[in-house]
Amino acid sequence: MWEDKINQFPKDVQLKFSSTKKFEPFKNKNTYYSSYVIDPNWLIDEFGYTATKANNSTQILYIVLRDVLEKNLSKEADLNIRNGAILEIHLQSEEERNKCSKLVDIIFDSLPSELNKYEHIGYDLKEQMVETLEKSIESYLFAENLQNTLVNKVESKPKGMKI
């Protein structure tokens, strides 16, 4: 029925119609997946937060973590906070996933010294925390790059005496 009506149009219109994208019943996206969960009990044990303060702080930490990673990962990375309790990251390559894992390790190594600076973690401190953690990442990666450069440099062998 529809085909008969379409066949009544000129050939160029029929070709244009046939070349247009048809309805796809589903979409498939192959990614490398990582997820991170911040345990509020860590904040309670490490920093003496109350349970309410720890739960509120973890929600802000997820936002901080997402913002820092968005700035340091490729644009194709898909970062989502699910139910305020898990950060899901879909990446396009294994190398990108390894980089993300390394960045998260750097962030959580730097986070305790950052959290000690504040009495509370609120939305008003979010940007300041993001900037500080980005600087931590930059300095760590710079030091690592410098270390790799120094290790990979080949020392010149002393030449023997010419006679």
Side-chain angles (χ1 to χ4, degrees):
M1 181 165 195
W2 280 105
E3 289 79 18
D4 296 334
K5 290 184 179 183
I6 292 171
N7 289 334
Q8 293 174 357
F9 285 96
K11 291 290 181 197
D12 59 332
V13 174
Q14 290 179 28
L15 285 173
K16 187 175 181 181
F17 175 77
S18 64
S19 67
T20 58
K21 197 172 185 179
K22 303 281 191 238
F23 173 74
E24 296 177 18
F26 66 92
K27 291 184 181 181
N28 185 17
K29 183 178 178 183
N30 292 328
T31 64
Y32 290 85
Y33 175 76
S34 295
S35 67
Y36 297 96
V37 177
I38 302 171
D39 187 0
N41 292 320
W42 172 67
L43 294 171
I44 293 169
D45 293 341
E46 254 336 278
F47 304 103
Y49 284 19
T50 63
T52 304
K53 185 177 176 182
N55 287 328
N56 292 337
S57 297
T58 53
Q59 291 177 354
I60 295 168
L61 288 176
Y62 281 118
I63 296 169
V64 168
L65 186 61
R66 182 196 62 203
D67 290 351
V68 170
L69 291 175
E70 277 180 340
K71 292 180 181 180
N72 289 288
L73 295 174
S74 68
K75 299 293 181 200
E76 291 83 29
D78 186 22
L79 292 91
N80 298 304
I81 299 172
R82 299 280 180 221
N83 300 328
I86 187 168
L87 178 63
E88 293 180 348
I89 305 169
H90 296 273
L91 302 155
Q92 299 301 312
S93 67
E94 189 172 357
E95 294 83 25
E96 193 75 14
R97 183 179 62 187
N98 292 339
K99 179 182 177 184
C100 178
S101 178
K102 184 179 193 174
L103 291 174
V104 170
D105 289 342
I106 294 169
I107 290 169
F108 278 99
D109 285 344
S110 303
L111 204 53
S113 62
E114 183 67 18
L115 294 177
N116 279 331
K117 295 178 187 177
Y118 309 112
E119 266 184 46
H120 75 286
I121 302 172
Y123 287 104
D124 55 332
L125 300 173
K126 181 180 77 80
E127 287 302 318
Q128 185 179 353
M129 289 179 69
V130 168
E131 287 175 18
T132 305
L133 292 172
E134 283 180 352
K135 288 177 185 174
S136 296
I137 289 171
E138 286 175 19
S139 61
Y140 180 86
L141 294 178
F142 176 75
E144 184 181 69
N145 188 22
L146 185 61
Q147 178 67 27
N148 290 340
T149 304
L150 292 175
V151 168
N152 292 335
K153 256 191 179 174
V154 179
E155 292 184 27
S156 63
K157 295 181 181 179
K159 295 183 180 179
M161 223 159 107
K162 293 184 180 181
I163 298 178

